[in-house]
């Protein structure tokens, strides 16, 4: 069982992206802060819309669970390759874990109106309260994207020094982390998702290659 986990655990990164994508798509269906008061109130008056928000949060939460599992698997591989005190590995794991509550708070705030509307029939949504929550959620999201850049850079540093992962991967990680610093423009989080997918696949591929049976010379 342990060998199975060691080999396939990095694919939790792909599962994290899949769940996160679904959760984000459901949240993006909500009104924007620039929409009219009437549109905001009308959206959350619909039961199906509120259920969609609640479901989106929990799907995204599942993605965060998979992200933590991926970070644990990544830490194990990086530390084995880096050796010593594992400073870069510690940076990768620490930054990754630090980003998790930021992602979670962001989605919690983004869907807070759906939670409140579902929990109490007496709740009356104030459009400006929704705008406050939505804008705060966005900045928490930006913070998570920026913090995650340290994960990318740390993994690239270990890959360059040890050859754990291809050099092209390590080199591309440098500009990828820089792009994440501009998380305010929203699209850089796609770079983070792409990095998770590529890293997951490479870790599994490298592990599979390293344990492939070696042909025995003929007697």
């Amino acid at each position: 069982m342990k060998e199975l986990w060691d080999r396939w655990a990095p694919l939790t990164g792909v599962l994290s992206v899949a769940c996160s994508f679904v959760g984000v798509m459901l949240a993006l269906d909500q009104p924007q802060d620039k929409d009219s008061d009437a549109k905001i109130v009308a959206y959350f008056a619909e039961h199906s819309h509120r259920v969609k928000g609640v479901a989106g949060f929990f799907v995204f939460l599942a993605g965060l669970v998979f992200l933590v599992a991926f970070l644990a698997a990544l830490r194990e591989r990086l530390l084995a390759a880096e050796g010593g005190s594992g400073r870069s590995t510690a940076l990768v794991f620490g930054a990754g874990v630090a980003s998790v509550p930021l992602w979670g708070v962001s989605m919690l705030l983004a869907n807070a109106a759906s939670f409140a509307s579902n929990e109490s029939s007496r709740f009356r949504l104030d459009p400006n309260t929704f705008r406050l929550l939505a804008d705060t959620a966005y900045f928490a999201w930006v913070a998570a994207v920026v913090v995650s850049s340290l994960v990318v850079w740390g993994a690239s540093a270990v890959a360059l020094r040890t050859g754990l992962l291809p050099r092209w991967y390590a080199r591309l990680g440098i500009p990828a982390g820089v792009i994440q610093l501009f998380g305010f423009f929203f699209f850089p989080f796609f770079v983070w998702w792409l990095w998770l997918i590529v890293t997951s696949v490479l870790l599994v591929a490298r592990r599979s290659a390293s344990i492939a049976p070696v042909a025995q010379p003929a007697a």
Side-chain angles (χ1 to χ4, degrees), residues 10-49:
L11 288 183
T12 51
V14 177
L15 295 176
S16 175
V17 172
C19 292
S20 299
F21 175 79
V22 173
V24 168
M25 290 301 102
L26 291 174
L28 288 179
D29 189 50
Q30 295 182 4
Q32 303 300 307
D33 57 354
K34 295 180 181 180
D35 289 333
S36 67
D37 291 358
K39 182 176 181 179
I40 293 173
V41 172
Y43 178 88
F44 289 101
E46 292 288 336
H47 178 70
S48 61
H49 291 164

Side-chain angles (χ1 to χ4, degrees), residues 5-201:
W5 168 255
D6 289 342
R7 181 174 182 179
W8 299 106
L11 288 183
T12 51
V14 177
L15 295 176
S16 175
V17 172
C19 292
S20 299
F21 175 79
V22 173
V24 168
M25 290 301 102
L26 291 174
L28 288 179
D29 189 50
Q30 295 182 4
Q32 303 300 307
D33 57 354
K34 295 180 181 180
D35 289 333
S36 67
D37 291 358
K39 182 176 181 179
I40 293 173
V41 172
Y43 178 88
F44 289 101
E46 292 288 336
H47 178 70
S48 61
H49 291 164
R50 300 195 300 268
V51 170
K52 186 184 297 184
V54 174
F57 170 77
F58 283 106
V59 173
F60 190 88
L61 185 61
L64 293 183
V65 173
F66 285 125
L67 177 59
V68 172
F70 168 78
L71 291 171
L74 179 62
R75 177 187 178 277
E76 183 178 5
R77 298 285 183 88
L78 293 180
L79 187 59
E82 186 179 17
S85 61
R87 289 184 180 179
S88 295
T89 299
L91 176 65
V92 169
F93 188 69
V97 171
S99 73
V100 170
L102 292 172
W103 297 114
V105 167
S106 175
M107 288 299 290
L108 182 63
L109 293 174
N111 293 288
S114 295
F115 280 113
S117 299
N118 265 339
E119 287 298 313
S120 175
S121 59
R122 300 178 62 183
F123 176 76
R124 296 294 179 269
L125 177 65
D126 176 54
N128 283 328
T129 300
F130 168 78
R131 294 185 179 99
L132 172 65
L133 294 171
D135 288 345
T136 306
Y138 185 71
F139 279 97
W141 183 273
V142 171
V145 175
V146 172
V147 170
S148 297
S149 65
L150 296 176
V151 179
V152 177
W153 284 332
S156 291
V158 175
L160 282 172
R161 291 202 305 267
T162 67
L164 173 67
L165 294 168
R167 294 188 68 82
W168 62 262
Y169 162 89
R171 289 169 178 166
L172 287 177
I174 298 173
V178 172
I179 292 174
Q180 287 182 234
L181 297 179
F182 298 91
F184 183 79
F185 297 101
F186 188 74
F187 76 88
F189 87 89
F190 286 111
V191 174
W192 166 245
W193 280 357
L194 179 61
W195 182 87
L196 283 174
I197 294 172
V198 172
T199 304
S200 298
V201 173

